[in-house]
Amino acid sequence: MLGLCIGIGSSCTPKLGNTIVEDNMMFAQLQLRVAFDEIDYARTNESPESREKREKNGWGELTNPRNSEPDGSLHLVPSKDWTSGFFPGELWYIYEYTQNNFWKKKAQQHTDMLEQEKMNGKTHDMGFKMYCSYGNGYRLTQDERYKEILLQSARTLATRYKPAAGIIRSWDHNKNKWQCPVIIDNMMNLELLFWATRESGDSTYYNIAVNHARTTLKNHFRPDYSCYHVIDYDTSTGNVLKKNTHQGLSHESAWSRGQAWAVYGYTSCYRETNDTTFLNFAVNIADMIMERVKTDDAIPYWDYDAPVTEETPRDASAAAVTAAGFIELSTMVPDGKKYLDYAEKILKSLSSDAYLAKVGENQGFILMHSVGSLPNGSEIDTPLNYADYYYLEALKRVMDLKGINYKNI
Ligand code: GLY
């Protein structure tokens, strides 16, 4: 059953490509308006400890919402947080859908809070932060200022490339544990680099992205096409030092969101390069996902290998990323319908009462029931901004695929 049916002429028939898209794009607008109030409240009521920590570390202002905390408070993050770009990205998708300047202004406002990140070379998360926010903004407005910010972001990300190993370093933390950790999530930051070569004509970014994707393909995957979370490299030889997890059940398990980043990442690499090695890889990962996710509703548990009990949490974010990736993949192969069907199954589940929030609740987030990092006791069974972002992206991809009109609301 759909969580919400709004609008004249809509019905509750869960027919993807029509009502389900329109109802949920409408629902997203209502929820994001709730989010604006929640953000104001959280900003004004920030705890003294949080303010002191932020000021002591020079993190700057609070920007966008990330998740709901167990005590019911809204977690706003400074721009340096890896998730700071998703909320503005959602606002750009709503602007694209509605063509309404209210959303454009809101999207600009929440994007502009992130500009300083263009110089932040301490993290690989540049694509998540800047391409989801400024990238969508530039795609929709052609604003030259956004283009310059994105190009600087790509330059900064490229400084993390380690040529002898052929990878971009992911994290700087845990230096006593890893020499040069690369996480599968990093595949999601390559689109920014491909974009930068297209816009600048400088092939450096493209080459870095391709090398990173090839090295990851070689070292991150098991014979069944499931992937490790963290690969540790020796940056002088390129040798693999460790194959670990940080957010999964165990080193050898298949962490659900990692598998989703992988299929999405290799699908976009094929789009950008036309290299069929990447396409074949994306297909193999997709087939592994469909084989391994055994839940009735296609929403995975937080790790494919997690023992299943009544309490085992699902990860709606992994499902949303998978759906967005599968929709694109479905357009690239002759038998793509099976991937579209699977994505539609995911979207129907996410759009049901089981995962979709009730209007006015869930602190303005659209989806419930995601997992951030269970082994670290963080964000377990909670709304997460990136689940919402990729859910909206998946709905947009359905609209593009099925020729559903964008509205002037
Ligand atoms: N990129 C971090 C995560 O997926 O949790």
Side-chain angles (χ1 to χ4, degrees):
M1 185 176 110
L2 283 177
L4 186 76
C5 292
I6 297 172
I8 298 161
S10 73
S11 79
C12 276
T13 314
K15 205 170 127 216
L16 200 61
N18 186 354
T19 307
I20 202 169
V21 171
E22 293 174 357
D23 283 351
N24 290 309
M25 290 306 269
M26 178 65 82
F27 172 71
Q29 291 171 62
L30 297 174
Q31 281 303 86
L32 287 165
R33 284 175 188 269
V34 173
F36 297 138
D37 291 339
E38 295 279 356
I39 291 168
D40 287 345
Y41 182 85
R43 205 170 264 142
T44 336
N45 291 283
E46 184 184 14
S47 71
E49 299 77 40
S50 160
R51 185 182 300 271
E52 195 185 314
K53 189 171 168 193
R54 206 161 42 75
E55 286 168 358
K56 196 168 122 216
N57 289 296
W59 288 344
E61 294 303 308
L62 293 176
T63 63
N64 294 311
R66 170 172 169 152
N67 63 288
S68 275
E69 295 293 15
D71 66 3
S73 62
L74 181 69
H75 180 197
L76 293 180
V77 291
S79 64
K80 76 174 196 72
D81 188 274
W82 79 274
T83 70
S84 64
F86 294 118
F87 186 75
E90 290 173 57
L91 300 176
W92 284 117
Y93 282 137
I94 297 296
Y95 167 60
E96 181 172 17
Y97 179 69
T98 61
Q99 297 294 304
N100 181 321
N101 276 331
F102 168 82
W103 293 104
K104 183 181 185 182
K105 286 204 185 86
K106 286 288 187 189
Q108 286 167 326
Q109 189 188 333
H110 285 266
T111 296
D112 284 343
M113 296 171 182
L114 310 185
E115 180 170 351
Q116 64 178 346
E117 291 310 303
K118 69 185 179 188
M119 302 306 291
N120 182 358
K122 292 187 182 152
T123 161
H124 73 128
D125 289 318
M126 200 63 104
F128 283 127
K129 286 189 285 191
M130 304 305 260
Y131 203 61
C132 298
S133 55
Y134 287 96
N136 276 310
Y138 182 63
R139 182 175 64 80
L140 294 171
T141 64
Q142 298 294 298
D143 183 334
E144 282 295 309
R145 196 174 67 84
Y146 285 1
K147 180 177 168 180
E148 288 313 313
I149 291 168
L150 285 163
L151 286 173
Q152 180 54 54
S153 303
R155 278 194 286 278
T156 303
L157 178 57
T159 63
R160 297 183 67 79
Y161 182 62
K162 307 293 171 203
I167 47 86
I168 300 163
R169 181 188 185 107
S170 293
W171 293 328
D172 288 355
H173 60 73
N174 279 301
K175 285 201 167 115
N176 55 346
K177 190 159 152 193
W178 299 304
Q179 187 194 123
C180 181
V182 176
I183 59 174
I184 189 65
D185 324 30
N186 206 340
M187 287 299 300
M188 301 296 284
N189 292 306
L190 305 184
E191 276 187 280
L192 170 66
L193 297 175
F194 287 122
W195 173 90
T197 286
R198 268 203 313 281
E199 291 291 332
S200 69
D202 180 349
S203 58
T204 311
Y205 309 108
Y206 181 99
N207 292 336
I208 289 176
V210 166
N211 288 349
H212 182 95
R214 287 201 182 125
T215 309
T216 299
L217 188 147
K218 203 163 66 183
N219 296 322
H220 248 92
F221 289 85
R222 308 183 182 99
D224 70 350
Y225 295 97
S226 70
C227 65
Y228 291 92
H229 183 199
V230 188
I231 300 292
D232 186 26
Y233 287 92
D234 180 324
T235 47
S236 51
T237 61
N239 289 342
V240 170
L241 302 174
K242 286 179 188 159
K243 298 188 174 199
N244 286 173
T245 196
H246 186 61
Q247 286 165 241
L249 178 76
S250 70
H251 296 325
E252 289 303 324
S253 74
W255 173 52
S256 298
R257 198 161 52 256
Q259 316 313 306
W261 294 143
V263 74
Y264 187 116
Y266 279 100
T267 301
S268 57
C269 273
Y270 174 65
R271 180 213 316 135
E272 298 291 347
T273 61
N274 275 322
D275 182 338
T276 50
T277 315
F278 296 144
L279 177 63
N280 293 337
F281 224 75
V283 162
N284 283 321
I285 301 164
D287 291 347
M288 178 279 297
I289 290 175
M290 292 195 298
E291 171 67 27
R292 296 273 325 258
V293 177
K294 295 289 187 205
T295 53
D296 288 345
D297 59 6
I299 311 300
Y301 294 102
W302 70 281
D303 189 298
Y304 294 176
D305 295 293
V308 176
T309 69
E310 296 267 294
E311 277 79 49
T312 310
R314 306 293 183 108
D315 184 6
S317 78
V321 175
T322 301
F326 271 42
I327 294 165
E328 181 167 36
L329 183 60
S330 78
T331 65
M332 296 170 164
V333 285
D335 61 346
K337 189 172 175 305
K338 64 183 175 188
Y339 303 121
L340 185 60
D341 289 347
Y342 193 81
E344 291 190 344
K345 183 171 178 185
I346 290 176
L347 289 178
K348 280 179 190 160
S349 299
L350 292 178
S351 306
S352 74
D353 285 348
Y355 297 94
L356 199 74
K358 293 206 167 39
V359 71
E361 297 183 3
N362 212 33
Q363 291 188 307
F365 291 100
I366 299 166
L367 297 176
M368 308 181 283
H369 305 312
S370 290
V371 173
S373 183
L374 191 141
N376 298 296
S378 153
E379 303 174 329
I380 300 164
D381 195 15
T382 182
L384 286 170
N385 61 8
Y386 43 99
D388 291 1
Y389 174 87
Y390 289 102
Y391 174 70
L392 291 186
E393 184 178 86
L395 291 180
K396 173 199 151 41
R397 288 182 172 187
V398 169
M399 289 171 59
D400 290 346
L401 199 63
K402 304 206 167 182
I404 300 170
N405 288 334
Y406 288 72
K407 299 212 172 342
N408 207 328
I409 296 174

